[in-house]
Every structure is written in structure tokens, then in C-alpha cells.
Amino acid sequence: MKDIIDPAEEATDSLAIENAIFETALQIPDPTQRREFLERTFQGDPGGREGMEDLLKLAGTSSAFFLEGRMRTAELAQEVIDEFPDVGFPLGEEAVSSGEKEGATIGRYTLLRKIGEGGGGEIFEAAQDGMVRTVALKIIRSGMDTESVVSRFEIERQTLEIMEHPNIARVLDAGKTTSGRPYFVMELVRGARITTFCEAEQLDIPARLELFLKVCQAIQHAHQKGIVHRDIKPSNILVENLDGTYVPKVIDFGIAKAMQGQLHGRAGMTQLGQFIGTPAYMSPEQIDMGGMDIDTRADIYSLGALLYELLAGRPPFDTEKLLESGLTEMRRALIEDNPPLPSETSRLAAEEGKGNTLPGTREKWANTLRGDPDWIVFKAMEKERNRRYQTANSLAMDIRRYLQNEPVIARKPSRGYFMLKFFQRNRAACVLGVAMLLSLVAGLGTTTALYFREKDALAEQARLKRQAQARANVSRAVFLVSEGKTAEADRLLRANPVESIDVSPEAAEVFRSLGSWNATFGRWRQAADCFRLMNEATRLGNRAKMLETVDLLMTGPTYLEAGDQKAYENLRAEMLDRYVPAQNGLQGERLLKACLLLPVDARTIELLESSAEVCRHSPSGAGSVGMTEWKALSLALFHYRKGEFQEAIRQADKCIAIRDKAGSRESAARCVLAMARFKRGETKEARGELEKAKAEMQRVEAQIDEAGFPPIGTWFAWAVVRILAREAEAMIGP
């Protein structure tokens, strides 16, 4: 649809609607019924109603009033009557007619009674001379035999003649009356519209779908003949009960479009800016009136709308509300808006007690429709026609798949969906298989779950074997390390990764030992894997005790030494979430050090402020686990990250003033001191402090023996020194 609607075009559309209302009102002879119709039509618009009443008064004195353009207004008026058959509009002798009366003879046929009328013609039940059968005879009405209507009537006749299908009403004869008006004869369908029939027979969902499949086959036949129906709706599909067999018949190809060439006579009856069809069932490309070529996929949309009403009990759009909203809003709604799911509409119909289905049926239907039926209907009704089913056969095949409990193409595939469909198709076999499986499990006393296929069961068995072997290998590796047989333990672990082990509290000690051993030898990737599994296991334990161990002090530096900054940031986020605020000085000191190895944002500093206060004011002394020098290092790091460089220098100097036999604490403090002095513009002093830290680090590394252990201190303390030294060197320069 165009983004900007031409005002002239919109005015023309409004005039067409007004003409349709006028024509409809003109056919109601009873003044009371005519007034009720106008009040309902012009609800909220008294000025429009008064204007229409004036036009109707003028029409009584001028027989030529609105004669020009009468064909289109009569068609629109008839669409209103077709859509609302129960409003009680009388169609007596004063209505526009073909001029033929009951009992008249046309060719070989005697008219028995009038049974209906379409946009340009009337339909009679007629008896054929010489044959004991009745037929349906359609003839153009008097006053409607203009060139365009006659041409459209001829197209409908030719359309039906070329189609031979048990679910399409057959053409038996054709000709012209003595006055020259065309007519044709087709088989008489004594049935109700498909939606009325389904409700009257109280058909369930599978029965309705089987009936709908026959309609799809009929439309597919028309498409193969090169014909698009373009007005598929319940009133154009009648259903007969023939000896217990439900036979739908597609009728009224009066607005059908020839896809291949031109039928004899005048083709291309559609005019730009005209609706061809019934709004609630029309595809967006029919509504858009932009000159877009209409193909068979327009019928696929209408079939989807018909299926929607068959299943949900209501059409996807309310025709009366669409007509009341005006042509522009109607266009927008049909092109842009999606109706609710059929399952949701069925649920609402159940709550309102609509339809003739048995009590409680609609509630069950809402649950049944939720899933494949919803998907099928909405694929058929896709706004973009390239995303719909491309043929009526493909729509029918998907419905058949649903009825046979097979996966449908309208739904996104998944393993669970395919397994569900497999179970639905083989319900008895699956139930028997499960019963046998349970009997086997009970008889053998096993706890192993069996899968539907042998391959999955074997894969699970192989996984359990690998896991058991991995546990044994880890236990063996720990023993070898304790015996000093590091080379043999290394070969064992490389052949059997520790990731195969299930996480449990009992395994935490194993992961802790292996992680520390790998870190000692600089195998940071393997150490990081071990500490990750260790932390997963210790999460199950006491939270406060976790913070008072060295686990976090080992894990954080290891991630950074392994080059996995993302893993460290995730660990830091977890520590802030689980352990803040610290409860004592030891927790505060370790939390600050573990969280501040890399620069942080202001929010993190704010979260750690309370822990820094606990660390600063907690008692310390000889033998205390939170000794002054270590707290000074953590506070120096905290104030540096906060941007308080003078306080960071003071705390670092306080840390360095206390003798450090291992050298790692003092070296870490010198790195912080170097960065703080550099930030204050003391470049020379900063470089001197960094050189001292690097020299101490090189001295210790030179003394590491073949076993991989540093002579004094711990490996993770020196890892902290290396991390801070790299940051300081990147800032100050080598």
C-alpha cells in the first residue's frame, strides 16, 4: 500500500461506499427496516444519515438517479447482503431483477424458484425439459446487462466450463434469453455454507480438516487450469451430505482471474482502485490496489482465512467493523494487522458460548489448536506472499502431515518437536517400549537411563567410562605429584584432561592440588581449568570460609597469566556479588587484592569501599592473619585504583617499611608505588621503583630449582607481582 493516499482517490473510494449504502437502502421497501438499516450504518454520524435519507427521497422522483455507475454500487450492495444474510432485507418485485418470473421458460428450462443472486446475476432453481432433474440457472439481472457485466458474466461461464472436478460446481449448458441476456446452467448444489454445515453437524477438528482438504484439491484444480478464484469465503463453498459422505462444492467464479492469456470475450475486468473479493478473506495484495499482479497465492491467503474460521469459530477479521471503519482504515488494518491466534480466538468463543459445538468442546479445541494448527494457518495467511504456501497442494500436504502426526513445514524444526511427533505416530509402540524398559531396569537393578536409540545409549555408556577413567587418573596424578614423580604425572594428565570429571565438593581438593602444581610449572591454561572446576565445587560450601582461603588469590592471577581476561572479569563480578561486604580484616584484605589486579570502574570502587574500611580498621598484630603489611598492600592498591595517589604512596611505603623475606609483597608494593608516583608526575622516581621490583623478581626466578618451586614465597604472590609489573611497564616504559 502506498505511504501517501491520493486525496482524489480516497474521495472516489468514499463515494463508492456511499453509493453501495444507497443501493442497499433503495432495495428495502419497508420504511421501518430501511430506517433501522441507516441508523445502524451511520451510527455516530447523524449528518451522514440525514444526507442519505435526502438522497433516497430524491431517488423516488428521479428514476435516473445514480444510474451511472450502478453496476459497481449494486455489486458492493450485494457484498453487504452476502456478508450479513440475516439482517432481513426483503428482495421482492421492487428489487432489481432479471425480469424473469417463477414459472417462466428459458430455452429448455422452466424456472421454479429464485434461490440466490450474485454481483450481476440472479440464480434460479429450474427444471430441465425431458430430464428428471433440477439445475441452477444463473442469468444477468435487468438493468445490469452493461458491456462490462456481460463480459464478466461470460468469463465466469467460460471459467466453469474448463474445470472438471467433483468439488467444483459443473457447468451443464449456456445460452441467451429471448431478450438477449446471457445465462448458463450448472448443477444444483443443495447444501449449506461450509461453516454453517460444520457447526450444524458438530464436526470435530480432524473432520473439518478432511473437509477442508477437498476444498484445497478443488482450488488446486482451478489453479492448474490457470484460474484464480479471488473470492474464497464460506458462502462460496457449499457442503452436501450425500449418503453419509460430506461433499463440498466451490461456487461463484464470477470474479475469477485468468492467469494464462485471455478467455473469450473481455478479460481483465479488475479496475485500479476497486476491491475484488470480500474484505475479511482478501489477501493484502488484493487490498493494496497498487497494480500488483494477483496470482494463485492470493487464494492461498483466502484458504488460510477460511481455515481460520473453520477452526476458531470466527473469521480472522470482523467484516462489520471493517466496513464501519472506512475504506482507508480497512486497507491499513488488512495490510498491516495480524489477527489473534486461532487457538486464542477459539478460547474467547468458548468463554462467550458462541457456536453450536458441544459444551466444553471449544475449551479443548483451544488447547488442540495451540501448536501446529496455529502455525499452519498463519503460514497460509502470511502478509508477504513469498512466505506463504506456494500452492494449495502444499497447504493440503502440511494439513495431512498434521493429521498423521508428522512434522509440519510451517513450524520451526527442533529435536524435541521431532521426538514428540515420533511418539504421537507410534504411541502404542512407544508405550510398550517404555514398559519394557522399566521392567528391564527393575529386573536388573540398574540406574542407567536408556535412550530411544542404541547409539545414544552407547554414547552415554562411553561417557561414563571416560569419566570413571578420568577420576582414577586424577587420583593417580595427585599421588605421583606427592611422590615427586612429576614427569609421569604430567604425561598422565595430558592424555586424560581433568575436564571429564563431574563437579562435586569432594573433588575440590583434587582440583586445588592439580591447579597449584600446574601453575608452579607455568602451565597456566591447565591450571586455570583446574581452578575453574575447583571454584564450581566450592560454591556448594560455606561462602565465608571460601573467602578466607587462598583459592581466590590463586584463581584470579592464574586466569590473567593464562591470558583469559574475560574469565577474570567474570570471577571478579562473582566475588562482588557473593562476598561484598567483607566481615573481617582478613576477608577485606583478600577481597581487595583479588578484585583489583586490573583497573576497575567507579561502581566497583563504590562496592569495595566498605570492605576497605573493614580492612583499614580491623585489629592486627603479631600472629594475626590480617597483618599490617598485607593490609597496607591491599589498601595501597585500592587507593591507587580509586585515584587517591598520595594515600596509595603512603600505604605502599608503609608496606615496604616492614621487612619481607620472600620479596613478593615488597615487589608488589613497589609496582603500585611506581604507578602512583608516575601519575603524580614523578617519572624518575617511578622508574626507579619499577626497576627495583623487576630486579627482585629476576633474582627469585633465577633460583627456581628443577622441581619448579621458588625458594621462598608462593607462586601466586609472584604472579601478582608479574601482573602489576606488566601494567606499570606499559605505563612508564621499559
Side-chain angles (χ1 to χ4, degrees):
M1 186 172 67
K2 298 177 182 178
D3 293 332
I4 300 177
I5 298 177
D6 189 345
E9 178 185 349
E10 186 171 10
T12 302
D13 293 335
S14 299
L15 180 59
I17 294 176
E18 291 177 4
N19 288 345
I21 297 172
F22 169 80
E23 186 70 24
T24 303
L26 196 61
Q27 296 185 41
I28 305 175
D30 187 296
T32 301
Q33 291 184 345
R34 178 185 292 180
R35 184 172 57 256
E36 290 176 353
F37 167 72
L38 292 177
E39 288 176 353
R40 184 166 54 253
T41 303
F42 288 97
Q43 185 175 3
D45 185 13
R49 187 188 70 232
E50 292 175 1
M52 184 58 66
E53 289 174 346
D54 292 340
L55 289 176
L56 290 169
K57 291 177 182 178
L58 290 175
T61 60
S62 176
S63 60
F65 191 80
F66 273 148
L67 182 60
E68 183 178 0
R70 183 183 177 95
M71 177 200 60
R72 180 58 189 151
T73 58
E75 291 175 4
L76 287 173
Q78 187 59 46
E79 287 178 5
V80 175
I81 296 172
D82 286 344
E83 285 305 304
F84 306 104
D86 300 325
V87 296
F89 298 161
L91 292 172
E93 292 182 356
E94 294 155 3
V96 178
S97 72
S98 64
E100 307 297 340
K101 307 296 182 181
E102 296 178 0
T105 300
I106 298 178
R108 297 180 298 163
Y109 307 96
T110 301
L111 304 184
L112 301 179
R113 64 187 181 93
K114 182 177 177 181
I115 58 176
E117 54 188 327
E122 295 177 303
I123 305 173
F124 291 87
E125 180 181 352
Q128 183 175 351
D129 293 345
M131 297 186 67
V132 185
R133 71 173 178 182
T134 55
V135 296
L137 189 147
K138 185 171 183 178
I139 181 173
I140 288 184
R141 293 184 295 182
S142 176
M144 298 294 292
D145 49 350
T146 64
E147 179 184 355
S148 61
V149 174
V150 172
S151 179
R152 174 171 164 181
F153 189 91
E154 180 66 13
I155 287 177
E156 180 177 3
R157 183 187 67 78
Q158 296 180 38
T159 296
L160 290 173
E161 280 185 343
I162 66 175
M163 290 186 287
E164 298 178 2
H165 193 276
N167 299 116
I168 297 178
R170 292 181 296 113
V171 171
L172 305 174
D173 196 4
K176 289 186 178 180
T177 66
T178 55
S179 60
R181 288 191 295 275
Y183 72 87
F184 66 88
V185 182
M186 59 186 180
E187 64 175 304
L188 180 62
V189 182
R190 297 184 184 276
R193 63 171 63 191
I194 187 170
T195 49
T196 304
F197 182 87
C198 290
E199 289 295 326
E201 296 291 330
Q202 295 186 348
L203 299 185
D204 59 12
I205 290 178
R208 294 181 186 222
L209 292 178
E210 290 289 351
L211 196 63
F212 182 76
L213 287 174
K214 296 178 182 179
V215 178
C216 290
Q217 293 167 2
I219 299 301
Q220 179 68 26
H221 176 79
H223 290 175
Q224 289 173 339
K225 294 292 186 179
I227 300 299
V228 185
H229 190 289
R230 297 204 295 177
D231 194 23
I232 297 172
K233 57 184 178 181
S235 60
N236 280 340
I237 300 170
L238 305 181
V239 184
E240 294 180 287
N241 188 341
L242 301 179
D243 299 327
T245 301
Y246 302 148
V247 181
K249 294 280 187 178
V250 181
I251 64 171
D252 197 358
F253 279 79
I255 59 173
K257 174 186 175 184
M259 294 185 298
Q260 300 173 353
Q262 292 186 354
L263 298 171
H264 297 296
R266 182 179 172 192
M269 298 300 298
T270 307
Q271 306 223 356
L272 184 64
Q274 289 184 350
F275 280 141
I276 298 298
T278 304
Y281 304 90
M282 290 168 61
S283 64
E285 57 266 28
Q286 288 176 270
I287 296 291
D288 199 10
M289 301 192 215
M292 180 184 292
D293 184 40
I294 305 301
D295 58 24
T296 58
R297 291 171 293 183
D299 280 352
I300 304 303
Y301 181 95
S302 299
L303 284 171
L306 173 63
L307 180 59
Y308 186 110
E309 185 169 354
L310 282 175
L311 299 178
R314 297 177 178 175
F317 296 98
D318 189 320
T319 302
E320 188 171 5
K321 290 182 178 179
L322 289 176
L323 293 174
E324 291 176 355
S325 65
L327 190 57
T328 300
E329 176 59 23
M330 182 196 304
R331 279 179 169 176
R332 187 207 63 76
L334 293 175
I335 293 174
E336 298 178 5
D337 295 346
N338 286 314
L341 292 172
S343 57
E344 180 63 19
T345 300
S346 180
R347 184 185 63 79
L348 293 175
E351 293 176 355
E352 297 173 7
K354 297 296 180 65
N356 297 325
T357 50
L358 294 173
T361 300
R362 280 290 175 190
E363 291 86 340
K364 296 179 181 178
W365 281 23
N367 295 327
T368 302
L369 296 178
R370 188 177 297 110
D372 286 351
D374 281 343
W375 285 90
I376 291 173
V377 170
F378 266 69
K379 182 172 178 63
M381 294 183 65
E382 281 281 1
K383 300 295 185 184
E384 171 55 50
R385 61 182 177 178
N386 289 328
R387 299 177 61 183
R388 297 175 202 151
Y389 295 102
Q390 297 300 291
T391 65
N393 263 351
S394 61
L395 169 59
M397 289 173 63
D398 228 15
I399 293 174
R400 184 65 67 189
R401 291 188 190 98
Y402 168 71
L403 291 173
Q404 295 173 351
N405 289 319
E406 295 178 355
V408 300
I409 63 174
R411 188 165 184 170
K412 184 177 180 180
S414 66
R415 179 173 297 181
Y417 175 65
F418 285 125
M419 290 179 67
L420 174 62
K421 287 299 178 182
F422 176 83
F423 175 77
Q424 290 175 341
R425 291 195 307 274
N426 305 276
R427 190 181 303 271
C430 289
V431 170
L432 180 60
V434 170
M436 293 177 63
L437 178 62
L438 293 176
S439 298
L440 180 61
V441 170
L444 298 177
T446 63
T447 57
T448 306
L450 299 178
Y451 291 90
F452 287 100
R453 298 182 181 181
E454 182 180 2
K455 181 179 179 180
D456 293 335
L458 292 175
E460 176 65 11
Q461 184 179 6
R463 187 187 70 82
L464 292 174
K465 287 182 178 180
R466 288 195 302 271
Q467 190 177 84
Q469 185 62 44
R471 288 196 189 101
N473 290 336
V474 169
S475 299
R476 176 64 178 165
V478 172
F479 175 76
L480 292 172
V481 170
S482 66
E483 292 289 321
K485 300 177 181 179
T486 54
E488 187 176 347
D490 180 59
R491 287 192 299 270
L492 184 63
L493 289 174
R494 287 181 182 276
N496 300 275
V498 295
E499 290 88 338
S500 302
I501 303 176
D502 281 342
V503 174
S504 65
E506 294 76 15
E509 187 58 39
V510 175
F511 296 138
R512 186 177 293 107
S513 300
L514 289 174
S516 182
W517 176 76
N518 278 288
T520 301
F521 285 95
R523 298 190 184 99
W524 299 112
R525 185 68 269 167
Q526 289 178 320
D529 291 338
C530 290
F531 288 136
R532 175 178 55 80
L533 294 171
M534 176 195 70
N535 287 323
E536 290 180 6
T538 54
R539 284 193 189 99
L540 305 176
N542 185 282
R543 186 170 64 178
K545 291 184 178 179
M546 173 66 179
L547 190 58
E548 294 178 2
T549 66
V550 295
D551 288 352
L552 297 178
L553 294 180
M554 292 191 297
T555 304
T558 299
Y559 284 159
L560 293 176
E561 290 284 69
D564 195 346
Q565 183 174 333
K566 183 65 176 177
Y568 171 75
E569 291 173 350
N570 291 338
L571 176 68
R572 178 165 63 188
E574 180 184 351
M575 286 189 287
L576 292 172
D577 182 60
R578 285 173 59 87
Y579 305 122
V580 171
Q583 302 301 314
N584 55 53
L586 177 59
Q587 292 183 10
E589 183 268 325
R590 292 187 173 175
L591 190 59
L592 292 176
K593 191 159 45 178
C595 290
L596 299 175
L597 294 177
L598 291 182
V600 295
D601 55 20
R603 178 179 176 277
T604 301
I605 291 296
E606 183 179 354
L607 290 174
L608 291 173
E609 191 73 58
S610 61
S611 298
E613 283 298 309
V614 172
C615 180
R616 182 180 297 109
H617 299 294
S618 63
S620 60
S624 173
V625 292
M627 292 184 293
T628 303
E629 58 271 26
W630 287 106
K631 291 194 296 182
L633 172 61
S634 295
L635 289 171
L637 188 57
F638 172 77
H639 287 292
Y640 170 71
R641 296 298 187 201
K642 191 177 180 181
E644 297 174 347
F645 304 125
Q646 184 58 45
E647 180 62 19
I649 292 172
R650 190 181 74 82
Q651 292 289 347
D653 286 337
K654 182 178 179 181
C655 177
I656 295 172
I658 302 175
R659 185 170 178 272
D660 179 18
K661 294 181 179 180
S664 56
R665 172 178 52 78
E666 181 180 343
S667 297
R670 291 191 183 280
C671 291
V672 177
L673 185 60
M675 290 188 287
R677 289 191 179 280
F678 182 80
K679 291 290 186 179
R680 286 176 55 82
E682 302 170 4
T683 305
K684 181 177 180 181
E685 292 81 355
R687 184 169 285 111
E689 295 294 344
L690 178 58
E691 289 300 326
K692 290 179 183 179
K694 290 170 62 177
E696 182 66 12
M697 188 166 53
Q698 293 170 0
R699 180 186 68 80
V700 172
E701 289 177 349
Q703 300 179 42
I704 297 177
D705 58 23
E706 295 180 356
F709 295 98
I712 53 177
T714 57
W715 62 265
F716 54 85
W718 286 107
V720 171
V721 175
R722 285 191 295 272
I723 293 167
L724 294 176
R726 286 195 295 268
E727 182 182 355
E729 191 171 24
M731 181 187 303
I732 301 171

